[in-house]
Amino acid sequence: MKHEKSIQDILRAVGGKDNIKNFEHCATRLRIILHDNSKVDKALAENVEGSKGYFFNTGQHQFIFGTGKVNEVYQEFQSSQGTGETASFKDDVYSNMNAGQKIVRTLADILIPLIPALVTTGLLMGLRGLLLELGVEMSDTVLTLFQMLTDTAFAFLPVLIAYSATKKFGGNPIIGIVVGLMMVAPQLPNAWAVAGGDAAPLYVSLLGISIPLVGYQGSIIPAIVAGLLVAKIEKNLRKVVPQLIDLVVTPFLTLTVTIFLMLFILGPITHQMEVYVTDFILMLIEAPLGIGYMIYAGLQQVLVITGLHHSLSILELQLLAETGTNVLNPLGTASMAGQFGAAISAALLMKNKLKKTNAISSTTSTLFGITEPLLFGVNLRSMKIFISGILGGAIGGLVTYIFGLTATGMGITFIPGLLLYTSSIGALVQYLIVVASAFASAFFFVRLQAKKISEEINA
């Protein structure tokens, strides 16, 4: 086998084949869950041949091999085990998580499948802006068609989320779709029109209480709650409804009870919570003198280390739905660029040619928005390197604040992220300056500490 030495090193590090409970892989890492974590030899795990780093998180021993290579290693590892990836891997992962980690992972499982559609929408927004910037004249018909391409996904966002949430929680996704459609039905006043003063809520009296009904265009949390309700109500009904009438009664009650609760009780409450959360995040980011921008851009990669960065998707979605732009995207890229600059600077200080080559190769996936190999393979080996990356990211955040730069979409960063800034030549240039400033400053901060860092990484 091409990667036999790597696999043998892993098996020795984790306590042998019999200690492996489950395993799978992601874009860059081989993830292993063990029966007994005390059998792990950390020193061996950190020196697996071909691996760019090792770390333990949420009950998973994760070996970083990088994009492409991890697929080859996984296939050979699978063959050596004699068993494949099992359907219970996620259950094993969840069993090792605390409540906060489970919430973040659940949100990620719901939102990540939607990202390709939302990325495409953002790219189309950028394309329309670029064409207009270049002076291309468009007829009303063409502009209307462009509006259809760019606005549909966000107008019907609750439908997509209700579908994904219902599927995640084990309910009938089709019922989730119908509930989502009802939440944005044209019979309800459009949420954006109400917010803009062009329409008024539809007031309904219930038990003497006047309840304003508004559509849920662009809402996220209410749609997740709706998907959860569909799944829970459906599962409980199937326990008591006779099979003879289950096909009709269960969907009917699931649908009507869910939409009643969402329109009159849970929907208004969760939507208001959503507004408060978004306003709070914006308030923090918009702190005076760009301080919020600097803190976010500096520390965003800390969330990547913990795995909590997946929860940021819900904030980006809400920003796009409410403001039409996404300031977290350039700040996230600035954070990556800072760590990238620090890693390259540190790699050039390495005297061992093999270590230097491995370090540089572990940074390449960062150009496409994947930073785990860089973080665990280079930067976290010395806090001086990592902190230099944080400072570089903060400077990139300050430049973002000065420019007032925002993205037209989400889901892609660094080089692919260029496509989200094609609305104008100026925005594209500003994005490149943000990346360059974060990279160069982090590179410089590592060089300021070159002697001490060199001693640490070459020991």
Side-chain angles (χ1 to χ4, degrees), residues 110-346:
I110 292 170
L111 298 175
I112 286 176
L114 310 182
I115 286 179
L118 300 173
V119 166
T120 301
T121 298
L123 296 181
L124 288 168
M125 286 181 181
L127 176 61
R128 178 180 63 185
L130 177 62
L131 292 175
L132 292 173
E133 175 78 7
L134 294 174
V136 177
E137 293 186 6
M138 298 184 188
S139 65
D140 291 341
T141 301
V142 173
L143 285 173
T144 299
L145 290 174
F146 250 119
Q147 189 175 22
M148 175 197 71
L149 293 171
T150 57
D151 295 357
T152 301
F154 286 101
F156 291 92
L157 186 59
V159 182
L160 304 178
I161 293 178
Y163 162 80
S164 187
T166 304
K167 186 177 180 181
K168 165 65 184 174
F169 295 123
N172 185 336
I174 302 302
I175 297 179
I177 289 175
V178 175
V179 169
L181 287 169
M182 289 180 174
M183 293 173 70
V184 293
Q187 289 80 7
L188 295 173
N190 185 286
W192 292 321
V194 172
D198 298 323
L202 178 66
Y203 285 91
V204 175
S205 181
L206 182 67
L207 300 177
I209 302 173
S210 183
I211 301 174
L213 298 185
V214 178
Y216 288 87
Q217 286 80 7
S219 290
I220 299 163
I221 296 176
I224 293 175
V225 173
L228 176 62
L229 280 176
V230 168
K232 295 299 182 183
I233 293 172
E234 182 184 13
K235 287 179 181 178
N236 287 316
L237 284 173
R238 293 202 186 281
K239 295 177 183 178
V240 297
V241 174
Q243 288 188 347
L244 185 64
I245 57 175
D246 176 71
L247 182 64
V248 175
V249 172
T250 298
F252 172 77
L253 290 177
T254 300
L255 191 63
T256 52
V257 171
T258 299
I259 199 62
F260 175 83
L261 291 174
M262 291 310 301
L263 288 181
F264 296 104
I265 303 174
L266 295 177
I269 294 173
T270 53
H271 177 65
Q272 197 57 47
M273 288 172 52
E274 190 174 57
V275 171
Y276 288 147
V277 169
T278 304
D279 289 346
F280 178 71
I281 295 297
L282 286 173
M283 181 185 71
L284 290 179
I285 293 175
E286 298 293 346
L289 305 176
I291 294 173
Y293 280 63
M294 294 175 70
I295 291 174
Y296 184 93
L299 300 179
Q300 192 264 353
Q301 287 297 292
V302 175
L303 295 179
V304 174
I305 296 171
T306 64
L308 294 175
H309 61 296
H310 294 300
S311 62
L312 299 175
S313 297
I314 195 169
L315 300 178
E316 292 185 86
L317 278 171
Q318 198 62 44
L319 287 172
L320 284 166
E322 291 191 7
T323 68
T325 58
N326 175 15
V327 69
L328 299 187
N329 183 273
L331 293 177
T333 298
S335 190
M336 293 179 184
Q339 295 298 334
F340 183 49
I344 292 294
S345 187

Side-chain angles (χ1 to χ4, degrees), residues 342-385:
I344 292 294
S345 187
L348 295 177
L349 294 174
M350 294 179 178
K351 296 177 181 178
N352 184 291
K353 290 185 178 180
L354 180 60
K355 279 188 176 181
K356 180 182 291 187
T357 301
N358 287 338
I360 292 175
S361 67
S362 72
T363 67
T364 54
S365 62
T366 304
L367 297 173
F368 301 93
I370 299 172
T371 56
E372 287 92 339
L374 171 152
L375 292 171
F376 295 101
V378 182
N379 293 16
L380 289 176
R381 293 183 180 274
S382 168
M383 287 308 296
K384 292 182 179 66
I385 302 173

